[in-house]
Amino acid sequence: MAAAALRPHLALLSGGGGIPNPALRTLSIVSPLLLHIHSHRSNRHRGILRSNASSSPPSPPPSPEKEAVPTAESCVNLGLELFSKGRVRDALEQFDNALELDPNTIEAQAALYNKACCHAYREESKKAADCLKTALRDYNLKFGTILNDPDMAPFRASPEFKELQEEALRGGEDIGSGFRRDLKLISEVQAPFRGVRRFFYVAFIAAAGISTFFTIPRLILAVQGGDGAPDFLETAGNAAINIGGIVVLVALFLWENKKEEQQITNISRNETLSRLPVRLSTNRITELVQLRDITRPVILAGSKASVTQAMQRAERYRTELLKRGVLLIPVIFGALLKAQIKPKGFGTTRSAASAPSIGGDFEKRTESIAAKSRLRAEVRFKADIVSPEQWESWIRDQQESEGVTPGEDVYIILRLDGRVRRSGRGMPNWNDILQELPRLEDLLSKLER
């Protein structure tokens, strides 16, 4: 229950939430700068993820008799407008101008983040990473925004993103510790007794150390012998027990730390997976996170021949697999053309006809049973991937973590709560999956949620 309560916090990772944004707005209309327009629910975050009351008030409208003096705010607004029209180079110039006009924290964050989006669109991953590092370190940018933003899709498929994510996991000074702190909170919920165990390890290590401190002098006296000297075997035995206990307890403490690091890495990887988009049979585009509690996605990744054969075999068990909430997601390595991503800019909307989406208020609607029922009705047996580069990048990372050669045929089964249930080489045995997965109405499925 605690983990379920924290799922919205895994947009934690995003800092999302707030007021839907129907259209691109100028910074001067909404005060402080871009106040909450990050919450256009299709996650088109742009720069200002969190505003606070200390932000500077809006500047009064310029006098018609005087030419408006450029400000950081106006440059960011103009850059956003240019970016939304596809004039990426001109937008970059405006964001650079904003950074030179003594911006406040909110304006600097917006300029740097949108500048990174421009570089991502131009596939200049190194420059995008440099902008994001500065925004994360100096201007409180939330790392989850990079995970959620569609305009960052090209960057998330780059090696620079992987390096940035690993640095964020470590929580170094160069990037800030906010992302790692959020991940540790999730880790503590999933393993609530780890902290208690480590406390007792430290306490017992301290007790054994104190005992050893007093035992060593006695052992020296026992070795020297003489009148009143303690028994050598007994004293040596006590010292050995204390030292052995310290070694074992230190090993257990380090093992707990290693398990925590592995868990944090898995949480980060699962969160990245949850933000991968798919297209349902109704042509609706949604992220895997929105399908939690409704389906058990089964990812089939590999060559076209292997994936096609596995899909054909699954058709024989279609009815029973649907009763278990299975949603097949085929990923054919290297078979899909690179997705063409249109720049949108922070706060802009995209035509529903050109790219159907789940809607700005989806999270609110899915809180009701009726809304989840509508989404469940749209989920069929198969979903197609969107942004294939992101999917292949995630699968490669998963293969490396499991010791599998990147590019090899694999399958990955997810739980109802979105975490990885298990994975394996080759394609799955559908009979085994039917035996393993309970039906959606069974008690075990309810507990899995």
Side-chain angles (χ1 to χ4, degrees), residues 193-324:
F193 299 108
R194 177 178 288 124
V196 176
R197 291 195 298 269
R198 287 196 293 202
F199 170 80
F200 281 110
Y201 293 155
V202 172
F204 290 146
I205 289 171
I210 293 172
S211 178
T212 302
F213 177 78
F214 289 104
T215 302
I216 294 300
R218 291 176 54 82
L219 181 60
I220 294 174
L221 291 175
V223 171
Q224 293 175 346
D227 295 338
D231 182 72
F232 174 77
L233 292 179
E234 180 182 356
T235 305
N238 292 336
I241 291 173
N242 289 332
I243 295 172
I246 291 174
V247 171
V248 171
L249 290 169
V250 168
L252 288 173
F253 184 84
L254 295 176
W255 181 79
E256 288 284 0
N257 288 343
K258 182 179 179 181
K259 294 293 291 183
E260 182 183 46
E261 291 300 320
Q262 292 175 347
Q263 189 176 37
I264 287 175
T265 300
N266 288 336
I267 292 171
S268 176
R269 191 181 298 116
N270 286 337
E271 177 58 18
T272 302
L273 171 64
S274 73
R275 299 300 173 183
L276 295 179
V278 295
R279 189 187 302 273
L280 303 180
S281 59
T282 57
N283 208 34
R284 177 188 294 241
I285 294 176
T286 185
E287 295 175 340
L288 289 185
V289 66
Q290 309 295 358
L291 300 179
R292 286 177 179 172
D293 299 338
I294 299 176
T295 67
R296 290 185 175 99
V298 176
I299 302 168
L300 306 173
S303 65
K304 183 176 181 180
S306 299
V307 173
T308 301
Q309 187 178 36
M311 296 286 292
Q312 292 172 347
R313 290 177 178 173
E315 284 291 341
R316 306 174 191 171
Y317 307 93
R318 182 187 183 103
T319 301
E320 288 301 317
L321 289 172
L322 284 172
K323 290 179 181 179
R324 289 157 175 79

Side-chain angles (χ1 to χ4, degrees), residues 27-28 30-33 53-60 73 104 107:
L27 298 179
S28 58
V30 184
S31 175
L33 179 66
S54 63
S55 300
S56 58
S59 56
E73 181 178 314
N104 61 29
E107 294 164 343

